[in-house]
Amino acid sequence: MRLSGVPVPQIGAYEPKHYICQRAKGEATLDGRLDKPFWDRAAWTDKFVDIEGDIRPQPRQDTRVKMLWDDDYFYVGAELWEDSIWATLTERDSVIFYDNDFEIFIDPDGDSHGYYEFEINALNTVWDLLLIKPYRDGGPPLDSWDMKGLKTAVHIDGQLNNPEAVNRKWSVEVAIPWTSLKECAKEHRAPLPGEFWRVNFSRVEWKTEVVDGAYRKVIHPDTGKPYPEDNWVWSPMGLINMHYPELWGYVVFADDGGPDVFCISQDERIKWELRKLYYLERNFAEQTGSYTEDLTRLGWSSELDINPEVYAAKHLFQITAAAADGSGTWIIREDGKLWKESHRI
């Protein structure tokens, strides 16, 4: 299959956000509120920023998230400040981002394939799907897939769909069972203390006005369609596309023994260099009709002391680099899948 070129994220240094996810204490009773003891041990994330990062203005409304975990669930609590709280979609697996929404993206093993997307609006309507691979790599999404055992709740601090109300915010609680997430995870299991998963969060926000006592999206006079939505995220993407799992944040699962801190490892930086080569190869082939084994033709440069090896043919390539400790080899191919092969002793 001939794959097209891919937009390159406009980021500086590779520094995705990270979060130390503590173990939950006690049982969660979901009502959408985050001002209860269950969430006390969970820190807030940084406030969300524009999806493109610092090149865009700060969001007009604040958004932040808390996370916890236990043997059964991954818990996410989100707080979305908002003076116009509205929602229209009531059918599960509707395209929820046509409303204002909150979204969760999870790649358990960090290979950029086999990951999950979850969206929820202020009516507590959800859309959950499994993606075999990103759209840039051929997809497809599996809309019929459901998170079995999913629990959600929404709390409205104000009134839903009432422009005359004094609105402050809406908040969300989500409990996703590991039984639904482990099929794409390492060894098909829940995480262990000290391990991380790649996770990101997004908030879609439409420009609205009040017409005849109801909220309506503001229509652009030149196009006759609503103005494009704003996309606010936890870990910035450097482009308007959430489906670049390599740029999502690092969620580190901790217990009473830690860990308490996180630093991006040398292996993660090696993986990022391979990802940059993947962008270059895909765009080179878009221009020339074929991939190349000659790195000088790609214009690749790196501050890391690595020596990638490239095998390329007309419609496929594979690039490898040694793991930081010499225990194996990192590999990326033309459809973006990135994995490690360990050296056998």
Side-chain angles (χ1 to χ4, degrees):
M1 179 177 66
R2 173 75 178 271
L3 293 167
S4 64
V6 293
V8 178
Q10 300 303 301
I11 64 171
Y14 182 70
E15 296 291 340
K17 299 282 188 178
H18 69 271
Y19 183 91
I20 306 297
C21 184
Q22 302 293 340
R23 265 196 167 271
K25 300 294 186 182
E27 185 176 350
T29 300
L30 272 61
D31 58 7
R33 300 183 66 105
L34 306 183
D35 56 351
K36 56 194 176 203
F38 178 79
W39 289 106
D40 286 349
R41 64 187 286 106
W44 288 108
T45 62
D46 293 337
K47 293 178 181 178
F48 284 21
V49 298
D50 188 89
I51 191 170
E52 294 186 84
D54 292 340
I55 66 172
R56 297 296 183 192
Q58 289 295 308
R60 301 183 303 278
Q61 306 276 5
D62 287 344
T63 314
R64 57 183 183 170
V65 167
K66 289 187 172 189
M67 289 169 262
L68 291 168
W69 71 301
D70 61 20
D71 291 340
D72 300 313
Y73 294 97
F74 178 40
Y75 300 96
V76 175
E79 179 184 75
L80 301 88
W81 289 84
E82 179 63 85
D83 49 18
S84 301
I85 304 176
W86 63 274
T88 64
L89 299 169
T90 59
E91 183 178 349
R92 184 175 180 133
D93 291 339
S94 302
V95 182
I96 300 298
F97 65 77
Y98 289 164
D99 286 348
N100 288 351
D101 78 352
F102 171 71
E103 305 177 357
I104 305 171
F105 296 82
I106 303 172
D107 181 6
D109 61 4
D111 67 353
S112 85
H113 285 203
Y115 63 89
Y116 307 98
E117 179 177 353
F118 167 91
E119 302 185 7
I120 188 169
N121 66 8
L123 279 167
N124 198 24
T125 308
V126 305
W127 180 21
D128 50 354
L129 59 157
L130 168 66
L131 289 102
I132 303 303
K133 59 180 74 173
Y135 298 106
R136 67 190 180 193
D137 300 315
L142 300 180
D143 269 326
S144 60
W145 178 88
D146 286 332
M147 294 176 173
K148 293 183 173 64
L150 174 72
K151 299 179 182 180
T152 66
V154 170
H155 174 73
I156 307 295
D157 190 348
Q159 293 184 34
L160 182 66
N161 293 330
N162 182 3
E164 296 183 0
V166 178
N167 294 316
R168 296 182 66 245
K169 61 184 176 181
W170 58 291
S171 54
V172 174
E173 288 182 298
V174 182
I176 307 175
W178 298 120
T179 52
S180 288
L181 297 176
K182 66 183 183 181
E183 59 190 309
C184 293
K186 178 181 178 181
E187 300 173 358
H188 302 293
R189 58 166 172 79
L192 300 175
E195 294 181 340
F196 61 77
W197 285 15
R198 303 303 299 272
V199 177
N200 211 351
F201 306 100
S202 173
R203 173 180 178 178
V204 168
E205 183 79 2
W206 295 90
K207 294 179 174 66
T208 59
E209 59 185 352
V210 178
V211 178
D212 296 329
Y215 293 115
R216 187 188 74 174
K217 293 177 184 175
V218 179
I219 302 300
H220 195 297
D222 295 335
T223 66
K225 298 179 180 179
Y227 281 91
E229 74 279 11
D230 288 312
N231 297 271
W232 304 331
V233 304
W234 172 46
S235 193
M237 303 294 294
L239 76 174
I240 305 175
N241 190 334
M242 286 301 296
H243 295 273
Y244 279 54
E246 63 269 21
L247 295 170
W248 297 348
Y250 294 90
V251 172
V252 185
F253 297 95
D255 59 12
D256 290 340
D260 300 318
V261 297
F262 172 78
C263 293
I264 297 176
S265 69
Q266 184 73 352
D267 274 316
E268 290 300 298
R269 299 196 180 280
I270 292 171
K271 289 164 64 178
W272 175 239
E273 293 303 318
L274 293 181
R275 182 64 61 181
K276 287 159 59 177
L277 284 167
Y278 151 87
Y279 300 145
L280 291 168
E281 284 280 15
R282 286 280 291 271
N283 292 325
F284 181 87
E286 179 76 5
Q287 296 174 358
T288 66
S290 179
Y291 299 116
T292 180
E293 295 182 352
D294 185 352
L295 293 182
T296 62
R297 297 185 69 189
L298 297 177
W300 174 75
S301 63
S302 173
E303 295 181 356
L304 295 186
D305 183 18
I306 61 172
N307 296 292
E309 296 184 359
V310 184
Y311 169 80
K314 186 175 180 63
H315 295 313
L316 60 85
F317 69 80
Q318 185 169 285
I319 308 174
T320 65
D325 62 359
S327 64
T329 301
W330 292 106
I331 305 170
I332 195 168
R333 66 190 188 202
E334 72 282 349
D335 70 349
K337 185 175 175 66
L338 196 161
W339 73 99
K340 183 181 180 182
E341 291 187 358
S342 299
H343 293 162
R344 295 181 178 180
I345 299 176

